Amino acid sequence: MHHLTPPSVHLPHQRGPLHDLPDTPEAYDAVLADVVEQALARLTPEGSLEHPDCVDDIGDTSLGITSLLAFAWQRTKDPRLPKAVRRSLAFHLRERVYVEDNPGYPNLRVRNSGLPYARYTLAAGAHPIGDWPSTVWALLQAVNLLDAADGLVDDAQRVELVEVARGYWRWLTEATFFNPQEAGNQAIGCVVGGLMLARHLPSPERESVRGRAVELYVDGIRAHRVRDRGALLPPEHGGAYDNNYGPISLSFLAQAHRVSGEEIFAEDGDALARYIDARLTGGGFDNGGPRYSEQHSAFESVLGLRYFGARIGSDLGRYRGDSRWARHAVKADGGVDGHFAWMLVWQIEDTTRWHRTPSAEPARHQLRAGTVSVAFDSHMTPSVIEADGTYFLPAAVDRQHGYGPVVDGFVFCRPMGEVRVRDVRAEGLVAKLVTKPVVGRDHVLRHVRSLYVTDGTSLWVTVAVERLPGTPYLLAGMPYAADDGDRVRRTAEAQVASVGELRLTHPRSAGADHFDARSEATQQQAAFALAADPRGYGNPDEGWSHLVSSTALEADPVPDAPEDLHVFAVRYGPGGAFTVTAEQGAEGLTVQAEAFTAVIGDIGGDAHGEPELTLHR
């Protein structure tokens, strides 16, 4: 057994909820004023506005700052800005527009097209794979600047910028494969660029580019959506959703709807927003995705979370963003970087305000009330449990991950058949009953009935299953993180009670595939260590799936359950004495705890096979 003390490290990227950021015009004017002063002090004789430490993601960044200066000029008419805008725009057009193919770029469909593109890294042949998104970003910076250019940019520069933007669009959609990294946020961003560019083009080219942008969305993105937790989502780096890039995709869908009015963007944004709402804990913690399992965006997500949070009537802004990028991209010294500058412009232009109260509608993959929440995966197994400011992840045993009864290393959580759900609210309680058919190694079909009840402060979980052989226990999660002011820190401790004996066990083996919550390693670090590809390219969720064992809460059965059942009862969060009784009667299984009485109907359910549940204090 390892001898470790509980960790004290904070998760680096998940900080305060985004809707805590002031979003008044005055607050944004202060942000722009700071950007202006930094930019004017930085502007080089050549006209560059790039941060001196910028190496990667550089091809669009000076133009991004230029667009922010132009936007600020439209709001303030600061007399210092026209000259700076023209000089920095000239720098981009002269120094940052490339028309010769980047050596080694693998995604060309047409060689030597002569069309302009932006480089991820300036040196020829150095990391060319990033040129496609960098060109999307450059197109978006260009159209933002064009939107603010009236009375600011002379006709010659404007004509040249329109021609470069038109070329960026053609390079992205003709000279290369569309969306070569299978990254939904980049692809939807490209569509937005086309929609915004079209407004600056003469007819009939305007209609042609707009039509092509919508067509690319329908055929190149929407037709390839991936299903997760009952929702169809734009694929992100090979997966259905990424908790860094997913909310960024939501921002692009918001902008696409704002500039085009096409209902398809609103419909898909609503679906993605409801999905995010269901998977996000009440405290805003989330983890998982095919690219960065714990890395969170910040200002890049504000537009989408705010816009669609208002549309679906839920507090999506509880999402814990990286407050170091609260308003715009910054480098290590805190200096402004032009990366993603258009997102700051769009969120200032959009007048939607934060919706800060939860939705009252029950969601299949979510249970939430007060400071308690459970997010469920596609199999209706908890993916994150939140109670008392502590977040629990599914534990791992014998290479199996989940939450449920365990016998001889087999976890009863993967369904063999339809999973049924019943939601009930009564007398200040919120409950969800999940009935799941599961086949064990003995090939016997059993019905795992999991009841989740919360009063908004504590969470009671009762699991009943037909009597199991051997010595079963309930795999009840792994305490992983806890709120610490406006930060989230790693933890290996939690306030949990069980009617049967409760154990917090830790891996007996060392190595990357055994995760001890008492170590300071984060889930993301451990997952990348197990991923097949290098950090930044690999899939940490896939790596994490290779975990053999982890710290785990193990709860023994309730002693006096009906003889044909094993029943487990666990409470997460504060409370006094914890007692649960389970009795089988004519109406079903009656579960009585100190805070509620629930009657779980028979396994067959109602006339439609749906589970029956009654609940009262």
Side-chain angles (χ1 to χ4, degrees), residues 188 192 247-262 265-266 268-270 272 301-308 311 343 346 350 352:
I188 305 171
V192 171
I248 297 175
S249 284
L250 194 65
S251 287
F252 283 130
L253 287 169
Q255 182 67 1
H257 186 239
R258 290 182 66 240
V259 301
S260 74
E262 293 283 348
F265 298 120
D268 292 356
D270 287 349
L272 178 54
S301 302
V302 165
L303 174 65
L305 294 170
R306 199 170 67 195
Y307 189 84
F308 284 105
R311 280 184 59 93
M343 284 293 191
W346 298 345
D350 180 51
T352 307

Side-chain angles (χ1 to χ4, degrees), residues 49 60 90 137 152 196 247 341 399 455 488 508 522 530 543 545 569:
L49 287 168
D60 67 295
W137 308 157
L152 183 60
M196 295 183 70
R399 302 183 187 276
D455 61 358
V488 179
R508 295 184 176 276
T522 65
L530 295 169
S545 71

Side-chain angles (χ1 to χ4, degrees), residues 18-24 27-28 31 306 327 347 354 356:
L18 290 182
H19 64 201
D20 287 352
L21 293 171
D23 60 352
T24 62
Y28 280 129
V31 172
R306 199 170 67 195
R327 299 301 193 179
Q347 63 174 274
W354 286 115
R356 290 187 171 90

Side-chain angles (χ1 to χ4, degrees), residues 330-373:
V330 296
K331 290 300 184 185
D333 64 359
V336 63
D337 180 25
H339 190 48
F340 270 65
W342 65 85
M343 284 293 191
L344 176 58
V345 174
W346 298 345
Q347 63 174 274
I348 296 174
E349 290 177 332
D350 180 51
T351 57
T352 307
R353 299 280 68 88
W354 286 115
H355 183 102
R356 290 187 171 90
T357 55
S359 170
E361 295 297 318
R364 178 179 173 90
H365 294 90
Q366 176 194 58
L367 175 74
R368 183 182 173 203
T371 58
V372 171
S373 62

Side-chain angles (χ1 to χ4, degrees), residues 112 225 298 502 566:
N112 302 315
R225 289 177 297 170
L502 181 70
H566 270 121

Side-chain angles (χ1 to χ4, degrees), residues 401-422:
H401 300 212
Y403 184 107
V406 178
V407 175
D408 295 332
F410 183 86
V411 185
F412 286 78
C413 68
R414 293 171 299 281
M416 178 64 72
E418 192 66 25
V419 179
R420 310 291 187 112
V421 177
R422 174 61 58 91

Side-chain angles (χ1 to χ4, degrees), residues 479-541:
Y480 173 71
D483 292 339
D484 185 13
D486 62 353
R487 298 292 301 276
V488 179
R489 62 176 171 80
R490 283 276 290 103
T491 190
E493 301 174 321
Q495 212 174 157
V496 184
S498 170
V499 173
E501 182 184 339
L502 181 70
R503 299 173 295 277
L504 180 64
T505 65
H506 303 285
R508 295 184 176 276
S509 301
D513 51 359
H514 301 277
F515 187 81
D516 194 319
R518 296 169 299 174
S519 73
E520 293 196 346
T522 65
Q523 187 264 357
Q524 178 177 303
Q525 291 169 331
F528 264 116
L530 295 169
D533 297 303
R535 181 176 179 82
Y537 304 94
N539 182 340
D541 270 8

